[in-house]
Amino acid sequence: MKRRAILIPLVVLAIYVLAAVFAPVLAPFDPDKVTLAQRLLPPGAHHWLGTDALGRDVLSRVIYGTQVSLLVAIGAVVAGAVVGVALGVLAAWRGGWLGAVIMRLVDIVLSVPFFLLAILVVAVLGPSLLNVVVCLALVRWPRYARVAHSATLQARGRGFVRAATATGAPAWWIVLRHVLPEVLPVSIVVATLELGLMVIYEASLSFLGLGVQPPTASWGSILSDGQQYIASAWWLATFPGIALFLLVLAVNLLGDAARDRLDPAKRAELPRPRLLRRMTRQAA
């Protein structure tokens, strides 16, 4: 049952990835082609998910919107994780005034509301796909830094790290060989949970006009365009909303599974393999 619970969201996520990679092949129409004669057509045999106010095919725009959501989410997670883990490990390993400055910066960024900081960053850099990735990475790196800082402090107290330090091994070798293997599992858990948030944040910024700019298809911009047609053209907001919901749900379920597998406290609660259970009974 647990394997099936992991397999279903994994299959859903794989479908989204394939849709993003093969969007030019899967999309039945050009997502940016305007055909006013076919505006606001309901779902039918020709346009499976209907058309929008400019006559653009909704299915094609939803498929191409998958590219934007996954690119922004993965890019922001990778950039935020690299910066956050590096600064968190540095703050915990070096300590002193440098560590204090880094962790106070983490507290400052975490205390600022997300949308206020995002609006500030986008206002300075300008709205674009790359700037949305930079904006989200700048906003979310403190979560990785705090987790990496805590895991590094715990690793410094381990016997093998003290032994490596006593033998005179260089600090960079100790960090790469002994500290990072302790930091990466918890960072991966945070990254998997953050991936769903990045999808929501990108859609929110695009919904407000601060994300990917038209005519590029984005789920947030599609929802923004369809909000004024909720009563007369329900499909404009319904289908991109469902696509957003299913992707975030699948990513969150995979994040929970990764946490159960990689977190030592959770891993201890998992069922032991049959051979291990048999050896335990025989030893008893």
Side-chain angles (χ1 to χ4, degrees):
M1 182 62 68
K2 290 186 177 181
R3 290 183 178 179
R4 183 178 302 177
I6 298 175
L7 182 61
I8 293 176
L10 189 61
V11 171
V12 173
L13 183 59
I15 292 175
Y16 276 94
V17 172
L18 291 176
V21 173
F22 298 103
V25 178
L26 297 176
F29 298 94
D30 183 351
D32 301 328
K33 183 179 180 180
V34 176
T35 308
L36 295 179
Q38 298 181 355
R39 62 187 304 270
L40 297 179
L41 292 179
H46 190 57
H47 296 279
W48 290 1
L49 301 186
T51 61
D52 63 6
L54 297 178
R56 296 173 297 188
D57 184 66
V58 174
L59 175 59
S60 300
R61 293 185 62 79
V62 170
I63 292 175
Y64 272 88
T66 308
Q67 286 185 334
V68 174
S69 295
L70 290 181
L71 281 175
V72 171
I74 295 174
V77 166
V78 172
V82 170
V83 174
V85 170
L87 291 178
V89 172
L90 178 63
W93 187 260
R94 292 294 298 273
W97 67 269
L98 180 60
V101 169
I102 293 176
M103 296 314 295
R104 296 298 76 77
L105 180 61
V106 168
D107 295 335
I108 292 173
V109 176
L110 289 176
S111 65
V112 180
F114 163 74
F115 280 108
L116 179 61
L117 186 57
I119 291 173
L120 177 62
V121 173
V122 173
V124 173
L125 300 178
S128 68
L129 180 62
L130 178 61
N131 291 343
V132 171
V133 174
V134 174
C135 171
L136 294 178
L138 289 176
V139 171
R140 303 304 295 180
W141 70 265
R143 290 201 62 185
Y144 301 96
R146 178 167 287 181
V147 170
H149 182 268
S150 176
T152 303
L153 290 178
Q154 294 179 1
R156 288 190 64 177
R158 301 284 180 86
F160 53 86
V161 175
R162 292 182 177 180
T165 305
T167 58
W172 64 267
W173 188 87
I174 298 175
V175 171
L176 293 178
R177 179 66 177 81
H178 297 293
V179 176
L180 279 182
E182 300 292 322
V183 175
L184 288 181
V186 291
S187 300
I188 292 174
V189 172
V190 174
T192 53
L193 296 175
E194 283 283 299
L195 191 62
L197 286 176
M198 295 301 99
V199 174
I200 295 177
Y201 287 162
E202 182 278 325
S204 301
L205 291 176
S206 297
F207 184 87
L208 297 175
L210 300 175
V212 180
Q213 296 300 295
T216 303
S218 170
W219 290 343
S221 61
I222 298 174
L223 289 170
S224 179
D225 294 338
Q227 64 175 335
Q228 56 184 323
Y229 299 101
I230 290 293
S232 58
W234 55 268
W235 57 89
L236 295 183
T238 301
F239 293 118
I242 292 175
L244 178 64
F245 167 76
L246 292 178
L247 177 58
V248 174
L249 179 62
V251 170
N252 287 340
L253 291 176
L254 288 177
D256 292 339
R259 180 187 58 195
D260 294 339
R261 294 292 179 181
L262 297 176
D263 186 6
K266 293 287 185 180
R267 192 165 56 226
E269 300 174 0
L270 294 175
R272 292 175 293 181
R274 183 180 302 175
L275 179 60
L276 181 59
R277 292 197 300 266
R278 186 182 303 171
M279 293 174 60
T280 304
R281 288 196 300 268
Q282 292 176 356

